[in-house]
Amino acid sequence: GIQVEQSPPDLILQEGANSTLRCNFSDSVNNLQWFHQNPWGQLINLFYIPSGTKQNGRLSATTVATERYSLLYISSSQTTDSGVYFCAVVTTDSWGKFQFGAGTQVVVTP
Amino acid sequence: KAGVTQTPRYLIKTRGQQVTLSCSPISGHRSVSWYQQTPGQGLQFLFEYFSETQRNKGNFPGRFSGRQFSNSRSEMNVSTLELGDSALYLCASSLFTTNTEAFFGQGTRLTVV
C-alpha cells in the first residue's frame, strides 16, 4: 500500500516564528488533506489539496502531485497552533480509505 | 450546517463485553468511514460505507463490524472486547467515496478495563 511520511516528527517554535511541515507519499493520490488534531482528539480540516496551492489566513499549503509531496506552511505561529498535524491521502484504488502519516507534533511556546 | 456527530463521546467497558458506536454524517453525505487511533499504531482505517454498502475494509479482526442505514447514519460494533481495543474511534463523512473532502467527528474514546 501507499506510504505516507511526515517530517519533522516534532517541532518546537517560539510564538511568531514560521515553519514548514512536509508530507511525502509513494503513489498517485486523488485526495490529500491536512488536519490539525485538537487536544480533545477531533481532526480539524485545514486543507483539501490533492494538487495546487491554497491559503487560509496564516496557513497555506502546496501539493506537487507529480513529485508526490505536500507542504503545510504556518506563518506567525501562535500558541493555539500547538497540536498534531496530520497529512492523509486516498489513492485511486482505495475507495474512501485515508492513509495517514504519523503526524508532526507542534509545540508553540510564548 | 451541523457537523459529523459521534455518540457516545466516552465509554468504559469490561473485557469480553460488546460495544456499539454511532456516527451521523453531515446532511447529504453518503460516505462514512471509521478509523481507530492508538498511541502505538496511529490512525488506522477500519471500513467505509457508501449507500449502505461496505466498499472497503481495513485489516482488523472480524470482531469489528459495521453497517450503514438508509439515512446514511452508521454504526460500528466491537464484540468480545479486548484491552487492546481501547482507543479513540473516529468517523468521517464525505459526499462521495472519492475526490471529495472528508470531515471528521469528535470521536468516541473507548476504554476497556
Side-chain angles (χ1 to χ4, degrees):
Chain A
I2 190 170
Q3 304 299 312
V4 182
E5 296 181 353
Q6 290 187 243
S7 59
D10 300 280
L11 194 56
I12 300 176
L13 302 168
Q14 196 148 25
E15 205 168 20
N18 302 329
S19 62
T20 301
L21 283 59
R22 187 177 180 101
C23 172
N24 292 334
F25 44 95
S26 60
D27 202 350
S28 299
V29 300
N30 61 21
N31 184 353
L32 187 148
Q33 291 187 231
W34 283 96
F35 298 94
H36 178 209
Q37 190 164 39
N38 67 20
W40 298 273
Q42 185 172 10
L43 291 172
I44 306 300
N45 285 38
L46 297 177
F47 294 101
Y48 167 67
I49 189 166
S51 63
T53 297
K54 291 186 177 180
Q55 180 157 8
N56 184 5
R58 296 180 297 101
L59 301 181
S60 63
T62 294
T63 297
V64 183
T66 53
E67 297 187 23
R68 298 183 181 166
Y69 72 89
S70 183
L71 302 174
L72 176 69
Y73 305 96
I74 305 174
S75 65
S76 305
S77 58
Q78 301 176 357
T79 56
T80 52
D81 294 331
S82 296
V84 183
Y85 290 78
F86 287 101
C87 164
V89 303
V90 178
T91 60
T92 53
D93 61 351
S94 65
W95 291 99
K97 172 185 174 181
F98 271 118
Q99 182 67 45
F100 282 84
T104 293
Q105 173 81 57
V106 173
V107 174
V108 182
T109 60
Chain B
K1 58 183 177 182
V4 181
T5 303
Q6 291 188 244
T7 56
R9 294 288 311 281
Y10 303 92
L11 208 47
I12 300 175
K13 289 287 188 178
T14 303
R15 196 169 41 181
Q17 288 186 314
Q18 75 164 11
V19 67
T20 299
L21 312 182
S22 178
C23 174
S24 293
I26 292 171
S27 178
H29 283 194
R30 296 165 64 188
S31 171
V32 174
S33 53
W34 289 88
Y35 296 82
Q36 180 197 64
Q37 186 177 26
T38 59
Q41 299 297 318
L43 280 148
Q44 293 187 287
F45 172 78
L46 282 156
F47 24 66
E48 190 263 352
Y49 288 88
F50 181 81
S51 292
E52 302 179 67
T53 301
Q54 187 181 89
R55 303 290 283 271
N56 202 349
K57 189 177 191 304
N59 190 24
F60 278 82
R63 300 185 298 106
F64 291 81
S65 63
R67 59 178 174 170
Q68 186 180 35
F69 302 95
S70 58
N71 62 358
S72 293
R73 188 178 71 86
S74 177
E75 290 181 345
M76 67 163 282
N77 185 77
V78 188
S79 62
T80 321
L81 284 166
E82 300 177 359
L83 297 179
D85 297 333
S86 295
L88 178 66
Y89 291 88
L90 293 161
C91 84
S93 87
S94 58
L95 198 56
F96 301 111
T97 297
T98 61
N99 297 82
T100 56
E101 187 174 7
F103 297 86
F104 280 80
Q106 293 176 298
T108 294
R109 194 167 295 277
L110 172 66
T111 302
V112 182
V113 297

Short mmCIF file of all heavy atoms in Angstrom, two decimals, chain A residues 30-31 33 35 37 39-48 54 84 86 90-101, chain B residues 4 9-10 31 33 35 37 43-45 48 55-58 88 90 92 97-107 109:
data_model
loop_
_atom_site.label_atom_id
_atom_site.label_comp_id
_atom_site.label_asym_id
_atom_site.label_seq_id
_atom_site.Cartn_x
_atom_site.Cartn_y
_atom_site.Cartn_z
N ASN A 30 -5.76 10.79 -5.23
CA ASN A 30 -6.84 11.65 -5.72
C ASN A 30 -7.46 12.46 -4.59
O ASN A 30 -8.43 13.18 -4.79
CB ASN A 30 -7.90 10.85 -6.49
CG ASN A 30 -8.56 9.80 -5.63
OD1 ASN A 30 -8.54 9.86 -4.41
ND2 ASN A 30 -9.13 8.80 -6.27
N ASN A 31 -6.91 12.33 -3.41
CA ASN A 31 -7.34 13.16 -2.29
C ASN A 31 -6.15 13.32 -1.35
O ASN A 31 -5.44 12.34 -1.06
CB ASN A 31 -8.52 12.50 -1.56
CG ASN A 31 -9.08 13.38 -0.43
OD1 ASN A 31 -8.52 14.42 -0.10
ND2 ASN A 31 -10.18 12.96 0.15
N GLN A 33 -5.46 15.61 2.29
CA GLN A 33 -5.97 16.57 3.25
C GLN A 33 -4.97 16.76 4.38
O GLN A 33 -4.26 15.81 4.76
CB GLN A 33 -7.33 16.15 3.82
CG GLN A 33 -8.45 16.21 2.79
CD GLN A 33 -9.83 15.95 3.38
OE1 GLN A 33 -10.59 15.12 2.88
NE2 GLN A 33 -10.19 16.65 4.44
N PHE A 35 -4.85 17.94 8.40
CA PHE A 35 -5.70 18.07 9.57
C PHE A 35 -4.87 18.54 10.76
O PHE A 35 -3.67 18.24 10.85
CB PHE A 35 -6.33 16.72 9.97
CG PHE A 35 -7.23 16.11 8.94
CD1 PHE A 35 -6.74 15.19 8.03
CD2 PHE A 35 -8.57 16.45 8.88
CE1 PHE A 35 -7.57 14.61 7.08
CE2 PHE A 35 -9.41 15.87 7.94
CZ PHE A 35 -8.90 14.96 7.03
N GLN A 37 -5.14 18.02 14.84
CA GLN A 37 -5.88 17.32 15.88
C GLN A 37 -5.86 18.15 17.16
O GLN A 37 -4.79 18.48 17.67
CB GLN A 37 -5.32 15.93 16.14
CG GLN A 37 -6.22 15.09 17.06
CD GLN A 37 -5.89 13.62 17.03
OE1 GLN A 37 -4.74 13.22 16.98
NE2 GLN A 37 -6.94 12.78 17.05
N PRO A 39 -6.75 19.10 21.23
CA PRO A 39 -6.46 18.33 22.45
C PRO A 39 -7.55 17.32 22.80
O PRO A 39 -7.28 16.37 23.54
CB PRO A 39 -6.34 19.41 23.53
CG PRO A 39 -5.94 20.64 22.78
CD PRO A 39 -6.65 20.55 21.46
N TRP A 40 -8.74 17.48 22.30
CA TRP A 40 -9.83 16.56 22.59
C TRP A 40 -9.92 15.43 21.56
O TRP A 40 -10.79 14.59 21.64
CB TRP A 40 -11.15 17.33 22.67
CG TRP A 40 -11.11 18.33 23.78
CD1 TRP A 40 -11.43 18.15 25.08
CD2 TRP A 40 -10.66 19.69 23.67
NE1 TRP A 40 -11.22 19.32 25.78
CE2 TRP A 40 -10.76 20.26 24.96
CE3 TRP A 40 -10.19 20.47 22.61
CZ2 TRP A 40 -10.40 21.60 25.21
CZ3 TRP A 40 -9.84 21.80 22.86
CH2 TRP A 40 -9.94 22.34 24.15
N GLY A 41 -9.03 15.46 20.59
CA GLY A 41 -8.95 14.36 19.64
C GLY A 41 -9.60 14.60 18.29
O GLY A 41 -9.42 13.81 17.37
N GLN A 42 -10.37 15.64 18.15
CA GLN A 42 -11.04 15.86 16.88
C GLN A 42 -10.06 16.30 15.80
O GLN A 42 -9.15 17.10 16.07
CB GLN A 42 -12.15 16.89 17.00
CG GLN A 42 -12.96 17.06 15.71
CD GLN A 42 -14.18 17.92 15.87
OE1 GLN A 42 -14.37 18.57 16.89
NE2 GLN A 42 -15.04 17.92 14.86
N LEU A 43 -10.24 15.79 14.61
CA LEU A 43 -9.43 16.19 13.47
C LEU A 43 -10.13 17.36 12.79
O LEU A 43 -11.24 17.23 12.27
CB LEU A 43 -9.27 15.03 12.50
CG LEU A 43 -8.42 13.86 12.97
CD1 LEU A 43 -8.51 12.70 12.00
CD2 LEU A 43 -6.97 14.29 13.15
N ILE A 44 -9.44 18.49 12.81
CA ILE A 44 -9.99 19.71 12.22
C ILE A 44 -9.42 19.86 10.81
O ILE A 44 -8.20 19.81 10.62
CB ILE A 44 -9.61 20.93 13.06
CG1 ILE A 44 -10.02 20.75 14.53
CG2 ILE A 44 -10.21 22.20 12.46
CD1 ILE A 44 -11.50 20.55 14.73
N ASN A 45 -10.31 20.07 9.84
CA ASN A 45 -9.86 20.23 8.46
C ASN A 45 -9.08 21.53 8.28
O ASN A 45 -9.53 22.60 8.68
CB ASN A 45 -11.07 20.27 7.52
CG ASN A 45 -11.69 18.92 7.32
OD1 ASN A 45 -11.76 18.12 8.26
ND2 ASN A 45 -12.14 18.65 6.12
N LEU A 46 -7.91 21.41 7.68
CA LEU A 46 -7.14 22.59 7.33
C LEU A 46 -7.23 22.83 5.82
O LEU A 46 -7.60 23.92 5.40
CB LEU A 46 -5.69 22.43 7.75
CG LEU A 46 -5.42 22.29 9.25
CD1 LEU A 46 -3.94 22.07 9.50
CD2 LEU A 46 -5.93 23.50 10.01
N PHE A 47 -6.88 21.82 5.06
CA PHE A 47 -6.91 21.94 3.60
C PHE A 47 -7.29 20.63 2.94
O PHE A 47 -6.87 19.56 3.38
CB PHE A 47 -5.53 22.38 3.05
CG PHE A 47 -5.10 23.74 3.45
CD1 PHE A 47 -4.17 23.92 4.47
CD2 PHE A 47 -5.62 24.86 2.82
CE1 PHE A 47 -3.78 25.17 4.87
CE2 PHE A 47 -5.22 26.14 3.21
CZ PHE A 47 -4.31 26.29 4.23
N TYR A 48 -8.10 20.75 1.90
CA TYR A 48 -8.34 19.67 0.94
C TYR A 48 -7.54 20.07 -0.29
O TYR A 48 -7.89 21.03 -0.96
CB TYR A 48 -9.82 19.54 0.63
CG TYR A 48 -10.15 18.67 -0.55
CD1 TYR A 48 -9.92 17.30 -0.51
CD2 TYR A 48 -10.68 19.22 -1.72
CE1 TYR A 48 -10.23 16.50 -1.60
CE2 TYR A 48 -10.98 18.42 -2.81
CZ TYR A 48 -10.75 17.06 -2.75
OH TYR A 48 -11.05 16.26 -3.82
N LYS A 54 -3.13 26.53 -1.78
CA LYS A 54 -4.25 27.19 -1.13
C LYS A 54 -3.74 27.96 0.07
O LYS A 54 -2.72 27.61 0.67
CB LYS A 54 -5.32 26.18 -0.68
CG LYS A 54 -6.07 25.51 -1.81
CD LYS A 54 -7.19 24.64 -1.25
CE LYS A 54 -8.00 24.02 -2.39
NZ LYS A 54 -9.09 23.15 -1.88
N VAL A 84 -1.09 18.25 16.98
CA VAL A 84 -0.54 17.32 16.00
C VAL A 84 -1.17 17.60 14.64
O VAL A 84 -2.39 17.73 14.53
CB VAL A 84 -0.79 15.85 16.39
CG1 VAL A 84 -0.13 14.92 15.39
CG2 VAL A 84 -0.27 15.58 17.80
N PHE A 86 -1.68 16.24 10.82
CA PHE A 86 -1.66 15.02 10.03
C PHE A 86 -1.88 15.33 8.56
O PHE A 86 -2.71 16.18 8.20
CB PHE A 86 -2.77 14.06 10.48
CG PHE A 86 -2.53 13.40 11.79
CD1 PHE A 86 -3.17 13.85 12.94
CD2 PHE A 86 -1.68 12.31 11.89
CE1 PHE A 86 -2.96 13.24 14.17
CE2 PHE A 86 -1.46 11.69 13.11
CZ PHE A 86 -2.10 12.16 14.25
N VAL A 90 -5.70 9.58 -0.12
CA VAL A 90 -6.52 8.49 -0.65
C VAL A 90 -6.03 8.21 -2.06
O VAL A 90 -5.90 9.14 -2.87
CB VAL A 90 -8.01 8.87 -0.70
CG1 VAL A 90 -8.84 7.72 -1.30
CG2 VAL A 90 -8.53 9.21 0.68
N THR A 91 -5.73 6.96 -2.36
CA THR A 91 -5.30 6.60 -3.71
C THR A 91 -6.50 6.25 -4.57
O THR A 91 -7.61 6.04 -4.07
CB THR A 91 -4.31 5.43 -3.68
OG1 THR A 91 -4.97 4.29 -3.09
CG2 THR A 91 -3.09 5.76 -2.87
N THR A 92 -6.26 6.12 -5.86
CA THR A 92 -7.36 5.91 -6.81
C THR A 92 -8.04 4.57 -6.60
O THR A 92 -9.20 4.39 -6.96
CB THR A 92 -6.85 6.00 -8.25
OG1 THR A 92 -5.74 5.12 -8.40
CG2 THR A 92 -6.41 7.42 -8.56
N ASP A 93 -7.34 3.59 -6.02
CA ASP A 93 -7.93 2.27 -5.88
C ASP A 93 -8.26 1.91 -4.43
O ASP A 93 -8.48 0.74 -4.10
CB ASP A 93 -7.00 1.20 -6.47
CG ASP A 93 -5.66 1.17 -5.76
OD1 ASP A 93 -5.39 2.08 -4.94
OD2 ASP A 93 -4.87 0.25 -6.01
N SER A 94 -8.30 2.89 -3.55
CA SER A 94 -8.53 2.58 -2.13
C SER A 94 -9.78 3.23 -1.60
O SER A 94 -9.81 3.74 -0.49
CB SER A 94 -7.32 3.02 -1.29
OG SER A 94 -7.18 4.42 -1.33
N TRP A 95 -10.83 3.23 -2.37
CA TRP A 95 -12.17 3.62 -2.01
C TRP A 95 -12.39 4.18 -0.61
O TRP A 95 -12.68 3.46 0.32
CB TRP A 95 -13.09 2.42 -2.16
CG TRP A 95 -13.28 2.04 -3.57
CD1 TRP A 95 -12.64 1.03 -4.21
CD2 TRP A 95 -14.15 2.64 -4.52
NE1 TRP A 95 -13.08 0.96 -5.52
CE2 TRP A 95 -14.00 1.94 -5.73
CE3 TRP A 95 -15.05 3.70 -4.47
CZ2 TRP A 95 -14.72 2.27 -6.87
CZ3 TRP A 95 -15.76 4.03 -5.61
CH2 TRP A 95 -15.59 3.32 -6.79
N GLY A 96 -12.21 5.50 -0.50
CA GLY A 96 -12.57 6.15 0.76
C GLY A 96 -11.65 5.87 1.91
O GLY A 96 -11.94 6.25 3.04
N LYS A 97 -10.55 5.21 1.68
CA LYS A 97 -9.63 4.85 2.76
C LYS A 97 -8.50 5.86 2.84
O LYS A 97 -7.64 5.94 1.95
CB LYS A 97 -9.04 3.46 2.52
CG LYS A 97 -7.92 3.08 3.48
CD LYS A 97 -7.31 1.74 3.10
CE LYS A 97 -6.11 1.41 3.96
NZ LYS A 97 -5.49 0.12 3.57
N PHE A 98 -8.49 6.62 3.92
CA PHE A 98 -7.38 7.53 4.17
C PHE A 98 -6.20 6.74 4.70
O PHE A 98 -6.34 5.92 5.61
CB PHE A 98 -7.75 8.58 5.22
CG PHE A 98 -8.37 9.82 4.66
CD1 PHE A 98 -9.66 10.18 5.02
CD2 PHE A 98 -7.67 10.66 3.81
CE1 PHE A 98 -10.24 11.33 4.52
CE2 PHE A 98 -8.25 11.81 3.32
CZ PHE A 98 -9.54 12.15 3.68
N GLN A 99 -5.03 7.00 4.14
CA GLN A 99 -3.79 6.54 4.74
C GLN A 99 -3.15 7.75 5.39
O GLN A 99 -2.85 8.74 4.71
CB GLN A 99 -2.85 5.96 3.68
CG GLN A 99 -1.56 5.41 4.25
CD GLN A 99 -1.78 4.18 5.10
OE1 GLN A 99 -2.50 3.27 4.76
NE2 GLN A 99 -1.12 4.17 6.26
N PHE A 100 -2.98 7.68 6.70
CA PHE A 100 -2.44 8.81 7.45
C PHE A 100 -0.95 8.70 7.63
O PHE A 100 -0.39 7.59 7.77
CB PHE A 100 -3.07 8.87 8.85
CG PHE A 100 -4.46 9.44 8.88
CD1 PHE A 100 -5.56 8.64 8.61
CD2 PHE A 100 -4.67 10.77 9.19
CE1 PHE A 100 -6.85 9.16 8.63
CE2 PHE A 100 -5.95 11.30 9.22
CZ PHE A 100 -7.03 10.49 8.94
N GLY A 101 -0.29 9.85 7.66
CA GLY A 101 1.08 9.89 8.13
C GLY A 101 1.10 9.79 9.65
O GLY A 101 0.05 9.80 10.30
N VAL B 4 -20.30 16.35 11.73
CA VAL B 4 -20.39 14.92 11.96
C VAL B 4 -20.56 14.68 13.46
O VAL B 4 -19.79 15.23 14.26
CB VAL B 4 -19.13 14.21 11.45
CG1 VAL B 4 -19.26 12.71 11.66
CG2 VAL B 4 -18.89 14.54 9.98
N ARG B 9 -19.53 10.04 23.48
CA ARG B 9 -18.19 10.63 23.43
C ARG B 9 -17.19 9.80 24.21
O ARG B 9 -16.02 9.68 23.82
CB ARG B 9 -18.22 12.05 23.98
CG ARG B 9 -19.02 13.03 23.16
CD ARG B 9 -18.31 13.37 21.85
NE ARG B 9 -16.92 13.73 22.04
CZ ARG B 9 -16.49 14.89 22.46
NH1 ARG B 9 -17.36 15.85 22.74
NH2 ARG B 9 -15.20 15.13 22.62
N TYR B 10 -17.64 9.25 25.31
CA TYR B 10 -16.76 8.44 26.16
C TYR B 10 -17.49 7.17 26.57
O TYR B 10 -18.72 7.19 26.75
CB TYR B 10 -16.34 9.20 27.42
CG TYR B 10 -15.65 10.51 27.14
CD1 TYR B 10 -16.38 11.69 27.06
CD2 TYR B 10 -14.28 10.56 26.93
CE1 TYR B 10 -15.74 12.90 26.78
CE2 TYR B 10 -13.64 11.76 26.66
CZ TYR B 10 -14.38 12.92 26.58
OH TYR B 10 -13.76 14.11 26.30
N SER B 31 -21.08 8.89 2.20
CA SER B 31 -19.96 8.02 2.56
C SER B 31 -19.58 8.24 4.01
O SER B 31 -19.43 9.39 4.46
CB SER B 31 -18.76 8.33 1.66
OG SER B 31 -17.61 7.66 2.11
N SER B 33 -16.75 6.65 6.87
CA SER B 33 -15.64 5.74 7.13
C SER B 33 -15.25 5.83 8.60
O SER B 33 -15.51 6.83 9.26
CB SER B 33 -14.44 6.06 6.23
OG SER B 33 -14.08 7.42 6.32
N TYR B 35 -12.20 5.00 11.72
CA TYR B 35 -10.78 4.88 12.00
C TYR B 35 -10.57 4.64 13.49
O TYR B 35 -11.33 5.12 14.32
CB TYR B 35 -10.04 6.16 11.58
CG TYR B 35 -10.10 6.40 10.10
CD1 TYR B 35 -11.21 7.00 9.53
CD2 TYR B 35 -9.06 5.99 9.27
CE1 TYR B 35 -11.29 7.19 8.16
CE2 TYR B 35 -9.13 6.17 7.90
CZ TYR B 35 -10.26 6.77 7.35
OH TYR B 35 -10.34 6.95 6.00
N GLN B 37 -7.66 5.14 16.44
CA GLN B 37 -6.40 5.81 16.76
C GLN B 37 -5.89 5.33 18.11
O GLN B 37 -6.57 5.46 19.13
CB GLN B 37 -6.57 7.33 16.78
CG GLN B 37 -5.23 8.06 16.97
CD GLN B 37 -5.37 9.56 16.93
OE1 GLN B 37 -6.43 10.12 17.23
NE2 GLN B 37 -4.31 10.24 16.52
N LEU B 43 -3.32 6.28 13.33
CA LEU B 43 -4.68 6.25 12.79
C LEU B 43 -4.78 5.14 11.75
O LEU B 43 -4.08 5.15 10.75
CB LEU B 43 -5.01 7.60 12.13
CG LEU B 43 -5.42 8.69 13.10
CD1 LEU B 43 -4.99 10.05 12.60
CD2 LEU B 43 -6.94 8.66 13.26
N GLN B 44 -5.68 4.19 12.00
CA GLN B 44 -5.83 3.06 11.10
C GLN B 44 -7.27 2.96 10.61
O GLN B 44 -8.21 3.10 11.39
CB GLN B 44 -5.44 1.76 11.81
CG GLN B 44 -3.95 1.69 12.16
CD GLN B 44 -3.61 0.31 12.69
OE1 GLN B 44 -3.95 -0.04 13.81
NE2 GLN B 44 -2.92 -0.48 11.88
N PHE B 45 -7.41 2.64 9.33
CA PHE B 45 -8.69 2.54 8.67
C PHE B 45 -9.40 1.25 9.07
O PHE B 45 -8.80 0.17 9.05
CB PHE B 45 -8.46 2.58 7.16
CG PHE B 45 -9.67 2.29 6.33
CD1 PHE B 45 -10.64 3.25 6.13
CD2 PHE B 45 -9.83 1.05 5.72
CE1 PHE B 45 -11.75 3.00 5.34
CE2 PHE B 45 -10.93 0.78 4.93
CZ PHE B 45 -11.89 1.75 4.74
N GLU B 48 -15.31 1.46 5.27
CA GLU B 48 -16.00 2.57 4.63
C GLU B 48 -17.32 2.08 4.05
O GLU B 48 -17.38 0.98 3.48
CB GLU B 48 -15.14 3.20 3.53
CG GLU B 48 -15.68 4.52 2.97
CD GLU B 48 -16.48 4.37 1.68
OE1 GLU B 48 -16.50 3.27 1.11
OE2 GLU B 48 -17.07 5.38 1.24
N ARG B 55 -17.72 -0.67 1.12
CA ARG B 55 -16.91 -0.57 -0.09
C ARG B 55 -15.45 -0.95 0.15
O ARG B 55 -14.74 -1.31 -0.78
CB ARG B 55 -16.96 0.85 -0.65
CG ARG B 55 -18.35 1.35 -0.94
CD ARG B 55 -18.97 0.65 -2.12
NE ARG B 55 -18.43 1.15 -3.36
CZ ARG B 55 -18.93 2.18 -4.02
NH1 ARG B 55 -19.97 2.84 -3.55
NH2 ARG B 55 -18.40 2.56 -5.16
N ASN B 56 -15.00 -0.83 1.40
CA ASN B 56 -13.60 -1.09 1.68
C ASN B 56 -13.49 -1.49 3.15
O ASN B 56 -14.28 -1.02 3.99
CB ASN B 56 -12.77 0.16 1.39
CG ASN B 56 -11.31 -0.15 1.13
OD1 ASN B 56 -10.84 -1.27 1.37
ND2 ASN B 56 -10.58 0.83 0.65
N LYS B 57 -12.52 -2.34 3.44
CA LYS B 57 -12.35 -2.81 4.81
C LYS B 57 -10.87 -2.85 5.13
O LYS B 57 -10.05 -3.27 4.31
CB LYS B 57 -12.96 -4.22 4.95
CG LYS B 57 -13.03 -4.73 6.37
CD LYS B 57 -13.71 -6.10 6.41
CE LYS B 57 -14.04 -6.53 7.83
NZ LYS B 57 -12.87 -6.56 8.73
N GLY B 58 -10.54 -2.45 6.34
CA GLY B 58 -9.16 -2.48 6.79
C GLY B 58 -8.79 -3.83 7.36
O GLY B 58 -9.58 -4.78 7.36
N LEU B 88 -9.26 5.78 20.53
CA LEU B 88 -10.18 6.81 20.05
C LEU B 88 -10.70 6.35 18.70
O LEU B 88 -9.92 6.03 17.80
CB LEU B 88 -9.44 8.15 19.90
CG LEU B 88 -10.25 9.32 19.35
CD1 LEU B 88 -11.36 9.72 20.35
CD2 LEU B 88 -9.34 10.51 19.07
N LEU B 90 -12.78 7.31 15.41
CA LEU B 90 -13.19 8.49 14.65
C LEU B 90 -13.96 8.08 13.41
O LEU B 90 -13.61 7.09 12.76
CB LEU B 90 -11.97 9.30 14.23
CG LEU B 90 -11.18 9.97 15.35
CD1 LEU B 90 -9.79 10.33 14.88
CD2 LEU B 90 -11.90 11.21 15.84
N ALA B 92 -15.62 9.61 9.70
CA ALA B 92 -15.54 10.70 8.73
C ALA B 92 -16.69 10.58 7.75
O ALA B 92 -17.10 9.47 7.40
CB ALA B 92 -14.21 10.66 7.98
N THR B 97 -17.39 8.73 -2.25
CA THR B 97 -16.29 7.93 -1.74
C THR B 97 -14.94 8.53 -2.07
O THR B 97 -14.01 8.46 -1.28
CB THR B 97 -16.38 6.50 -2.31
OG1 THR B 97 -17.59 5.90 -1.84
CG2 THR B 97 -15.20 5.66 -1.87
N THR B 98 -14.81 9.12 -3.25
CA THR B 98 -13.51 9.63 -3.67
C THR B 98 -13.65 11.07 -4.17
O THR B 98 -14.74 11.54 -4.45
CB THR B 98 -12.90 8.79 -4.79
OG1 THR B 98 -13.76 8.84 -5.93
CG2 THR B 98 -12.72 7.35 -4.36
N ASN B 99 -12.51 11.72 -4.24
CA ASN B 99 -12.42 13.06 -4.84
C ASN B 99 -13.28 14.11 -4.16
O ASN B 99 -13.64 15.11 -4.77
CB ASN B 99 -12.80 13.02 -6.34
CG ASN B 99 -11.85 12.17 -7.13
OD1 ASN B 99 -11.97 10.95 -7.17
ND2 ASN B 99 -10.87 12.79 -7.73
N THR B 100 -13.64 13.87 -2.92
CA THR B 100 -14.37 14.88 -2.17
C THR B 100 -13.79 15.00 -0.77
O THR B 100 -13.23 14.04 -0.23
CB THR B 100 -15.87 14.54 -2.06
OG1 THR B 100 -16.02 13.25 -1.48
CG2 THR B 100 -16.54 14.59 -3.41
N GLU B 101 -13.94 16.18 -0.20
CA GLU B 101 -13.37 16.45 1.11
C GLU B 101 -14.11 15.68 2.19
O GLU B 101 -15.34 15.58 2.19
CB GLU B 101 -13.45 17.95 1.40
CG GLU B 101 -12.73 18.39 2.65
CD GLU B 101 -12.71 19.90 2.81
OE1 GLU B 101 -13.38 20.59 2.01
OE2 GLU B 101 -12.04 20.39 3.74
N ALA B 102 -13.34 15.13 3.13
CA ALA B 102 -13.92 14.39 4.24
C ALA B 102 -13.85 15.23 5.52
O ALA B 102 -12.92 16.02 5.70
CB ALA B 102 -13.17 13.08 4.44
N PHE B 103 -14.85 15.04 6.38
CA PHE B 103 -14.94 15.78 7.64
C PHE B 103 -15.10 14.76 8.76
O PHE B 103 -15.88 13.82 8.64
CB PHE B 103 -16.14 16.72 7.62
CG PHE B 103 -16.04 17.78 6.57
CD1 PHE B 103 -16.46 17.53 5.27
CD2 PHE B 103 -15.52 19.03 6.87
CE1 PHE B 103 -16.37 18.50 4.28
CE2 PHE B 103 -15.43 20.02 5.89
CZ PHE B 103 -15.85 19.75 4.60
N PHE B 104 -14.36 14.99 9.86
CA PHE B 104 -14.36 14.04 10.96
C PHE B 104 -15.23 14.51 12.12
O PHE B 104 -15.38 15.72 12.36
CB PHE B 104 -12.93 13.83 11.47
CG PHE B 104 -12.14 12.87 10.63
CD1 PHE B 104 -11.55 13.30 9.45
CD2 PHE B 104 -11.99 11.55 11.00
CE1 PHE B 104 -10.82 12.43 8.66
CE2 PHE B 104 -11.27 10.66 10.22
CZ PHE B 104 -10.68 11.10 9.05
N GLY B 105 -15.76 13.54 12.83
CA GLY B 105 -16.47 13.81 14.06
C GLY B 105 -15.51 13.98 15.22
O GLY B 105 -14.29 13.90 15.06
N GLN B 106 -16.07 14.21 16.42
CA GLN B 106 -15.24 14.47 17.59
C GLN B 106 -14.67 13.19 18.18
O GLN B 106 -13.77 13.25 19.01
CB GLN B 106 -16.07 15.20 18.64
CG GLN B 106 -16.47 16.61 18.23
CD GLN B 106 -17.38 17.24 19.26
OE1 GLN B 106 -18.47 16.76 19.52
NE2 GLN B 106 -16.92 18.33 19.85
N GLY B 107 -15.16 12.05 17.74
CA GLY B 107 -14.62 10.79 18.20
C GLY B 107 -15.31 10.22 19.42
O GLY B 107 -15.99 10.93 20.17
N ARG B 109 -14.15 7.98 22.67
CA ARG B 109 -12.98 7.41 23.39
C ARG B 109 -13.45 6.20 24.18
O ARG B 109 -14.22 6.33 25.13
CB ARG B 109 -12.34 8.45 24.29
CG ARG B 109 -10.98 8.04 24.79
CD ARG B 109 -10.23 9.19 25.43
NE ARG B 109 -9.89 10.28 24.52
CZ ARG B 109 -8.83 10.29 23.73
NH1 ARG B 109 -8.01 9.26 23.72
NH2 ARG B 109 -8.59 11.33 22.96
#
